[in-house]
Amino acid sequence: MVEARIRVIYGDTDQMGGVYYANYFRYFEFARGEYFRARGGSYREVEREGLALPVVEATASYKSPARYEDVLLVRARVSEVKRVSLTFTYEIFREGGPDTLLCTGRTVHACVGRDGKPTRLPDMVVRLLHAAP
């Protein structure tokens, strides 16, 4: 698991003052990048191998709104690795207050080659996903 911190900017909020629902997916993406970096790699390395890990499924469950200036703690973990896909799960909390769960989510990623066709996850990616932070 990796914990990433991000501060809510004004542009992330909606007319009601809460974080606009789609922005939680941006926070998930931010945490995924931090996950790779914490393990000594980067998504760019995957791309250099001629591969991509597009999101093929994404879900979020909203529990309580985040607000402007909140510092969010985004926990990301790889919950499943298959032959040609992997799944990340997420939890978002407001930092500095009571441990209030704001949002949970999940993204499923396919491994595809330059031709856009599914391909086996290379060993280097599997090792990177399971490396200790």
Side-chain angles (χ1 to χ4, degrees):
M1 176 180 61
V2 166
E3 293 184 344
R5 285 170 177 73
I6 190 164
R7 184 177 303 274
V8 175
I9 63 171
Y10 188 78
D12 285 349
T13 62
D14 60 20
Q15 191 174 17
M16 295 173 287
V19 168
Y20 180 66
Y21 77 95
N23 286 324
Y24 288 91
F25 291 101
R26 291 180 42 247
Y27 302 155
F28 296 166
E29 180 179 3
F30 174 74
R32 276 196 313 275
E34 293 300 305
Y35 188 96
F36 280 101
R37 278 187 282 287
R39 282 158 171 72
S42 73
Y43 187 76
R44 188 174 303 269
E45 289 176 38
V46 175
E47 290 177 328
R48 282 190 202 120
E49 295 293 318
L51 302 171
L53 298 171
V55 174
V56 296
E57 183 180 328
T59 60
S61 179
Y62 307 100
K63 314 293 184 189
S64 184
R67 307 267 181 212
Y68 172 59
E69 287 287 325
D70 282 350
V71 176
L72 305 180
L73 174 66
V74 186
R75 293 182 180 152
R77 69 177 51 87
V78 172
S79 57
E80 185 174 45
V81 177
K82 293 184 177 178
R83 193 166 86 57
V84 298
S85 68
L86 60 113
T87 302
F88 277 92
T89 56
Y90 312 91
E91 295 175 318
I92 300 180
F93 296 86
R94 182 179 297 106
E95 188 174 75
D99 285 342
T100 303
L101 181 62
L102 304 177
C103 181
T104 60
R106 174 176 169 269
T107 54
V108 179
H109 304 258
C111 183
V112 299
R114 285 193 173 101
D115 59 2
K117 294 182 181 175
T119 187
R120 183 180 192 92
L121 280 166
D123 290 338
M124 77 87 149
V125 171
V126 173
R127 281 192 306 274
L128 186 65
L129 293 170
H130 293 300

